């Protein structure tokens, strides 16, 4: 994908995101048709589905040769990263959307032949758009995000992670995760992986750990982090795979290896 193609797709996607955000805000107080998916806490609303369909219909019309991976089932089933792929989460943080009416985001990552080209994370209620194009940096609205602090120490770091790390002994042992939490300066949880990753890219948090994330949860945020020097992969230190659901670590490069060391210790 050349710069001209990237810019055109970026401008189009950005316009669609603002349109979708306006539609969500206008209808978010309507009676919600809420369903569950994999478990009672895995929620989906009609607005999730409508928003994904909004993007899918427009992508099919404007870019019929592109592929789509989406959370709500309107996309494609892919076994290869060849070509241009849009990875879409129409409402990341659906539980927050349902219960709190805030702290949720539209997340879109656009890859070409496996390379992250364009990333968006839109905080719908805060009207804050995080965005990035490959090789051109990452931004929050019009403000360019600074490269991540390469002198950061783990003991001085704020880590985004949910509490399932302390409940799922089968992934990383309880004692090691307890030691990890005591080692870092503090932990936080927002309830939206996309917003957590935007916070890492912004330097507000220094890493984000999640037990099981799908590509649509993280694609936009990972591309943001790549533009400020962040490192993304799984709990064994392998690179991020955009076609798989897996535990994920996205971190400031100065502390990434230390985090992976903790996790590997707990997986012995």
């Amino acid at each position: 994908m050349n710069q001209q193609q990237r810019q055109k797709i970026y401008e189009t996607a950005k316009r669609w995101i603002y349109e979708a955000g306006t539609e969500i805000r206008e209808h978010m107080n309507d009676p919600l048709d809420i369903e569950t998916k994999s478990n009672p806490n895995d929620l989906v609303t009609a607005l999730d589905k409508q928003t994904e369909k909004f993007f899918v219909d427009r992508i099919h019309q404007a870019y019929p040769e592109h592929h789509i991976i989406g959370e709500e089932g309107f996309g494609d089933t892919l076994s290869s990263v060849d070509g241009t792929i849009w990875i879409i989460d129409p409402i990341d943080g659906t539980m927050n959307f349902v219960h709190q009416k805030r702290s949720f985001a539209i997340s879109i990552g656009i890859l070409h032949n496996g390379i992250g080209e364009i990333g968006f994370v839109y905080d719908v209620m805060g009207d804050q758009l995080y965005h990035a194009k490959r090789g051109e940096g990452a931004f929050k609205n019009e403000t360019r995000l600074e490269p991540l602090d390469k002198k950061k120490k783990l003991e001085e770091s704020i880590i985004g992670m949910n509490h399932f790390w302390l409940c799922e002994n089968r992934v990383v042992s309880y004692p090691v995760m307890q030691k990890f939490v005591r080692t870092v300066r503090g932990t936080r949880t927002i309830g939206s992986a996309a917003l957590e990753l935007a916070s890492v890219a912004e330097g507000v948090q220094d890493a984000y750990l999640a037990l099981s994330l799908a590509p649509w949860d993280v694609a936009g945020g990972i591309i943001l982090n790549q533009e400020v020097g962040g490192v993304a992969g799984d709990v064994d230190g392998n690179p991020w795979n955009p076609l798989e659901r897996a535990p994920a670590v996205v971190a400031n490069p100065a502390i990434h290896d230390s985090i992976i060391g903790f996790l590997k210790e707990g997986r012995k």
Side-chain angles (χ1 to χ4, degrees), residues 87-157:
I87 305 179
I88 301 170
D89 195 336
I91 299 180
D92 182 75
T94 300
M95 189 178 295
N96 288 352
F97 169 70
V98 170
H99 287 272
Q100 302 172 350
K101 305 297 185 185
R102 61 183 179 182
S103 299
F104 61 90
I106 297 170
S107 176
I108 296 179
I110 303 173
L111 285 68
H112 184 71
N113 292 336
I115 297 172
E117 295 282 353
I118 300 166
F120 293 100
V121 173
Y122 181 47
D123 178 351
V124 175
M125 300 310 292
D127 192 25
Q128 304 280 354
L129 181 65
Y130 296 85
H131 51 105
K133 298 191 290 286
R134 182 171 64 87
E136 298 183 38
F139 295 79
K140 179 181 181 181
N141 293 333
E142 303 306 317
T143 302
R144 188 183 185 95
L145 302 182
E146 296 294 327
L148 298 180
D149 179 6
K150 294 185 179 179
K151 296 181 180 180
K152 178 66 68 171
K153 298 178 180 179
L154 187 63
E155 295 79 8
E156 299 171 348
S157 297

Side-chain angles (χ1 to χ4, degrees), residues 27-34 45-47 97-98 101:
H27 293 281
M28 64 183 299
N29 292 314
D30 294 351
L32 292 176
D33 180 12
I34 303 170
T45 72
L47 204 49
F97 169 70
V98 170
K101 305 297 185 185

Side-chain angles (χ1 to χ4, degrees), residues 164-184:
F164 290 111
W165 283 98
L166 304 178
C167 303
E168 294 283 350
N169 195 50
R170 61 185 173 81
V171 178
V172 180
S173 69
Y174 295 138
V176 169
M177 288 313 300
Q178 291 166 355
K179 179 183 175 183
F180 177 76
V181 170
R182 289 194 296 267
T183 298
V184 302

